[in-house]
């Protein structure tokens, strides 16, 4: 694993994309993930921006992804419940069910061979499109190195 490459690209991407006014994402979390690893090997938080991840919550989120019951289950991030709205080959989108924000909140989860990227955004359709474009830029960097 080329951690220097991942860290360098994360820092550049996150500083231009996450947690600043006018940026497409309010938070992002990169989780080291291997779905084929034994269950005793825990996934770890590789990077975080705009969010203080709770390791227990992250573990529950990883288990949610491993189970793959996207249409019948929901996941939680910082006490917000997210239901899946669309499922694609290596990513899925979700909407927050208990938000107090008028425009809503959403999440995009992208799976690479080595990582899960959880990206959170505020807003509806236009915001979701901007968020997906931002996620795609970072994932493209990881996939170039088969990470």
């Amino acid at each position: 694993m080329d951690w220097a490459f991942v860290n360098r690209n994360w820092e550049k991407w996150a500083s231009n994309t996450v947690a600043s006014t006018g940026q497409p994402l309010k938070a992002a979390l990169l989780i080291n993930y291997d779905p084929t690893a034994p269950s005793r090997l825990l996934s770890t938080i590789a990077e975080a921006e705009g969010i203080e991840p709770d390791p227990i919550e992250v573990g529950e989120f990883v288990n949610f992804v491993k189970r793959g019951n996207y249409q019948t289950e929901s996941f939680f991030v910082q006490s917000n419940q997210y239901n899946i709205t669309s499922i694609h080959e290596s990513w899925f989108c979700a909407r927050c069910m208990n938000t107090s924000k008028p425009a809503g909140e959403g999440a995009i989860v992208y799976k690479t061979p080595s990582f899960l990227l959880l990206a959170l955004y505020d807003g509806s359709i236009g915001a979701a499109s901007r968020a997906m474009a931002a996620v795609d830029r970072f994932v493209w960097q990881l996939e170039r190195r088969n990470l």
Side-chain angles (χ1 to χ4, degrees):
M1 176 68 60
D2 188 351
W3 286 107
F5 172 81
V6 172
N7 182 266
R8 185 174 55 252
N9 280 288
W10 174 270
E11 292 297 327
K12 182 179 178 183
W13 175 79
S15 67
N16 293 319
T17 309
V18 182
S20 298
T21 304
Q23 298 300 336
L25 302 176
K26 69 176 181 178
L29 181 63
L30 187 65
I31 303 166
N32 188 16
Y33 173 73
D34 182 357
T36 62
S39 60
R40 70 181 182 280
L41 297 177
L42 299 176
S43 296
T44 57
I45 300 163
E47 301 283 355
E49 187 73 32
I51 188 172
E52 288 292 327
D54 175 347
I56 293 171
E57 192 174 71
V58 169
E60 291 171 2
F61 172 71
V62 169
N63 288 335
F64 164 80
V65 172
K66 282 184 178 180
R67 284 190 304 272
N69 298 328
Y70 303 140
Q71 295 172 329
T72 59
E73 295 182 31
S74 57
F75 66 93
F76 291 85
V77 176
Q78 294 185 325
S79 74
N80 285 337
Q81 180 181 5
Y82 290 85
N83 284 349
I84 308 304
T85 57
S86 61
I87 303 168
H88 305 274
E89 185 175 327
S90 57
W91 58 279
F92 58 87
C93 297
R95 292 298 291 168
C96 182
M97 301 310 295
N98 59 328
T99 184
S100 60
K101 298 180 180 177
E105 296 177 67
I108 299 169
V109 178
Y110 206 108
K111 298 183 290 184
T112 75
S114 301
F115 295 101
L116 288 175
L117 174 62
L118 171 63
L120 304 174
Y121 63 91
D122 290 334
S124 191
I125 295 171
S129 296
R130 289 187 298 279
M132 190 62 224
V135 166
D136 194 49
R137 279 192 301 276
F138 181 68
V139 169
W140 181 78
Q141 293 289 329
L142 293 179
E143 288 179 341
R144 276 186 29 207
R145 292 276 181 109
N146 200 29
L147 299 173

